[in-house]
Amino acid sequence: MSVIEAADCLIPDWPAPARVRALQTTRSGGVSAAPYTSLNLGDHVGDDPLAVAANRNALAALLPAGPLWLTQVHGTTVLDAGLPQPDPTADASIARDTRGVCAIMTADCLPVLLCNDAGSVVGAAHAGWRGLAGGVLEATVVAMAVPGDTLMAWLGPTIGRDAFEVGDDVRDAFIAHDSAAASAFRPGRAPGKHWADIELLAKQRLAALGITRVYGGGLCTVSDAERWFSYRRDHRTGRMASLIWLQD
């Protein structure tokens, strides 16, 4: 039986209202065997379904309700985690009451958690480069339906700026939206390649929405194999979860 201890998780350090709760899992505390060792929460990566179920059940013991597990497709659809969702295909979710627990799974992509000052709405977004460029943060804030300057964000573990090498297509996609995005790229190891800072790209998008209070960041999934899953590093690997909810 899997039992997740406090040391197996990271609690976001941000000045969120008291009723806003958030949790970041690591790869420790579960029952999955290598290469998914050990707290793999992804049911789509080739792991033993019984192990994934045990890991999810252990996580659920720390939560007020079962999370809305999304089928993530690098898009911009946002769902309400507090409502029944027959089709969970989406890359972000929000919650306005204690019935919903928002959850994002990642293994290099950037998870972004959001809450407002009043503690009346929370959100979580899967901001890989495709979703980020496509507007998943913008769509999440629209769904939250509160002014951007009343929101704060927390950035979870993601591929670091010294590990994320991309092609011209990625750089061009961001610069086409905002020329200032050029500052998030520097020359890579070959012509047409660039090192990308996905945290800076997210901060630029958030700032454009009026969200300037951004916390977290600096946790590179690729460089810390003991703590984080990384698809780019290992290819066959598990998934962490970034979760946020409201609790009375």
Side-chain angles (χ1 to χ4, degrees), residues 55-171:
N55 291 339
R56 288 187 173 188
N57 286 338
L59 176 63
L62 305 177
L63 306 171
L68 173 60
W69 294 110
L70 302 176
T71 300
Q72 298 170 189
V73 293
H74 300 280
T76 61
T77 297
V78 185
L79 298 179
D80 189 328
L83 299 176
Q85 298 293 347
D87 180 3
T89 302
D91 284 270
S93 61
I94 64 164
R96 299 186 185 282
D97 55 48
T98 57
R99 294 175 300 169
V101 175
C102 304
I104 295 296
M105 288 185 290
T106 61
D108 284 335
C109 290
L110 175 65
V112 179
L113 303 182
L114 297 155
C115 73
N116 69 330
D117 293 322
S120 60
V121 61
V122 295
H126 170 227
W129 80 260
R130 289 182 182 84
L132 189 58
V136 69
L137 295 181
E138 291 86 345
T140 305
V141 171
V142 167
M144 294 176 78
V146 293
D149 61 5
T150 69
L151 292 169
M152 68 184 76
W154 183 81
L155 308 183
T158 188
I159 187 169
R161 63 191 297 271
D162 296 323
F164 192 26
E165 192 173 34
V166 301
D168 285 334
D169 58 330
V170 177
R171 183 176 183 272

Side-chain angles (χ1 to χ4, degrees), residues 3 32 34 93 107 110 133 156 160 183 191 204 226:
V3 178
S32 292
S93 61
L110 175 65
S183 64
Q204 291 174 338
E226 182 176 349

Side-chain angles (χ1 to χ4, degrees), residues 194-213:
H194 314 271
W195 297 108
D197 187 339
I198 197 166
E199 291 182 354
L200 177 55
L201 291 167
K203 288 176 180 178
Q204 291 174 338
R205 294 284 185 130
L206 291 167
L209 294 165
I211 305 169
T212 57
R213 291 172 292 158

